Amino acid sequence: MKIQGGIPLKGTIKAQGAKNAALPVMAVCLLLKNATLTLNNVPDLYDISTMIELVEALGVKTERTKDVIKFNVPDEINFEAPESIVRKMRASSLALGPVLARCKKVILPLPGGCSIGSRPIDLHLKGLKQMGAEIEIKNGVVYATTKGKLRGRRLYLDFPSVGATENLMMAAAFAQGETIIENIAREPEIDNLADTLRCIGVPVELEGTGGVRIRGIEYSHSGTERVIPDRIEAATYILAGIMTRGQITINDIIPAHIDAMLAKLEEAGARFKIKKNSITVYPVKRLKPVSIKTLPFPGFPTDMQPQMAAALSLANGTSMVEESVFQSRFLYAQELNRMGADIKISRDVAVINGVEKLQGASVRATDLRAGAALIIAGLAAKGETIIEDMVHVWRGYEAIDEKLKSLGAKVELA
Ligand code: UD1
């Protein structure tokens, strides 16, 4: 993507459906037999296409019309996920729980690490074992089986992992009796998954204290659900507006989902107006420096850390950004520094000395959110920025070029 920076963004856009909500709710179809799941507001992204490929490889037929996907699930599905698909996307591991619950077996290659850290799935596997699964890992492939049904029981997650919470909630749908999972992730995507499980007949109760209670069922039925708005996409555009000193409105969002970021932006002196389903940002000269630590929801999201660091690179002073969720999520810093930012990394902390201006440069997106950070930096920078490896960005941002153009940005795909 080629960007001519320095133009204040102006206008209104609407948030896409959330990638990270759509992926697990799509996996819910694997719990159906001779039934359909219809999902509305599904974004058009590489990762969504990969999930479609995965469920199709497992035997599900899909029909996609605009942002609606209908999953037609036959009586029998396959229990072996092809490595060529799993390798493309870590979220393929979301097939583990539902396929095991439904087929009593699953074979799934381990998704492997990525540029933001090693990303094991030990918590997913530990929970499934506690529910009675026998699990072996041979040559990087997970073989899980269960004699009869999985057993409902009380589980405790050592860390509130989003993926482990989702996999175990889906596995619990057909377990014998009740499963209670404590210390679960409480990201909004988990509520969307709970609603989707309920729409196919699984009784799910989310508890305020960080637990979930799920009663195993015999039969699921067809259902329809809507994917929630993408809080990370919306928050990225909000920062693009702030960094370019523009005035933009993002519609179709749930402001409460980005409370942590809004609180930090307020502390940094940003100006915005929140309505029920929209946010408008207004121009301010320079942000004040703030300190941030990423945490599970409702803490500051790790998926906004690179974009927030990009915004703080133009703040009037020194900010500290601590990453506590992933091991190595600062690869974008050296790319931002090529654009004139002053970011020093020491273990889990980025020390960001705000500069007055960024300059366009040729930079590389090392992962999805790193790419987003570089794009918003490019929009604010003087001159031309070229973002290489946009493939990462297409995993999570629908029509980002079109959306930015509609806000007056000069961007072009090479
Ligand atoms: C999801 C999101 C991702 C986001 C992350 C944290 C999707 C598709 N992806 O990823 O965008 O950045 O939540 O909000 O929804 N961990 C273990 N063992 C496990 C599971 C996780 O050690 O079994 C560690 C991970 O390595 C990581 C941390 O826990 O350091 C958080 O991971 P997790 O919450 O599971 O994230 P994902 O579900 O992979």
Side-chain angles (χ1 to χ4, degrees), residues 197-386:
L197 285 170
R198 284 188 206 112
C199 91
I200 64 158
V202 185
V204 180
E205 275 172 64
L206 281 164
E207 289 163 359
T209 50
V212 63
R213 190 182 284 266
I214 297 162
R215 209 169 64 242
I217 54 166
E218 293 293 329
Y219 303 103
S220 52
H221 55 68
S222 297
T224 302
E225 194 46 68
R226 186 177 174 82
V227 174
I228 57 171
D230 197 313
R231 60 197 170 102
I232 306 298
E233 190 219 20
T236 304
Y237 283 108
I238 287 174
L239 289 184
I242 291 174
M243 285 182 78
T244 59
R245 296 178 187 155
Q247 179 171 330
I248 64 171
T249 299
I250 325 280
N251 284 332
D252 287 10
I253 64 169
I254 301 176
H257 289 174
I258 51 173
D259 264 352
M261 191 188 75
L262 293 178
K264 280 292 160 187
L265 285 178
E266 200 168 3
E267 194 182 322
R271 283 174 56 227
F272 46 85
K273 191 188 267 170
I274 304 173
K275 289 199 185 149
K276 191 164 169 256
N277 292 115
S278 78
I279 295 190
T280 301
V281 291
Y282 300 96
V284 287
K285 274 221 159 125
R286 275 182 92 176
L287 291 181
K288 289 183 267 187
V290 287
S291 290
I292 282 162
K293 180 175 180 177
T294 63
L295 285 169
F297 191 84
F300 193 93
T302 173
D303 284 353
M304 278 309 296
Q305 185 262 103
Q307 303 90 309
M308 190 70 180
L312 292 174
S313 72
L314 287 173
N316 190 9
T318 302
S319 305
M320 308 274 264
V321 172
E322 183 177 348
E323 173 60 57
S324 84
V325 178
F326 286 106
Q327 279 169 339
S328 63
R329 206 169 191 176
F330 290 127
L331 285 179
Y332 63 84
Q334 58 192 26
E335 303 296 310
L336 280 180
N337 286 349
R338 289 163 63 89
M339 300 176 70
D342 177 358
I343 306 179
K344 291 185 186 69
I345 307 296
S346 166
R347 288 171 178 258
D348 304 336
V349 179
V351 179
I352 305 173
N353 291 310
V355 293
E356 239 170 82
K357 274 199 175 73
L358 295 173
Q359 289 116 37
S362 184
V363 290
R364 198 167 68 81
T366 47
D367 64 75
L368 165 58
R369 306 301 168 186
L374 295 171
I375 290 175
I376 61 175
L379 292 167
K382 213 166 160 263
E384 183 176 278
T385 295
I386 294 173

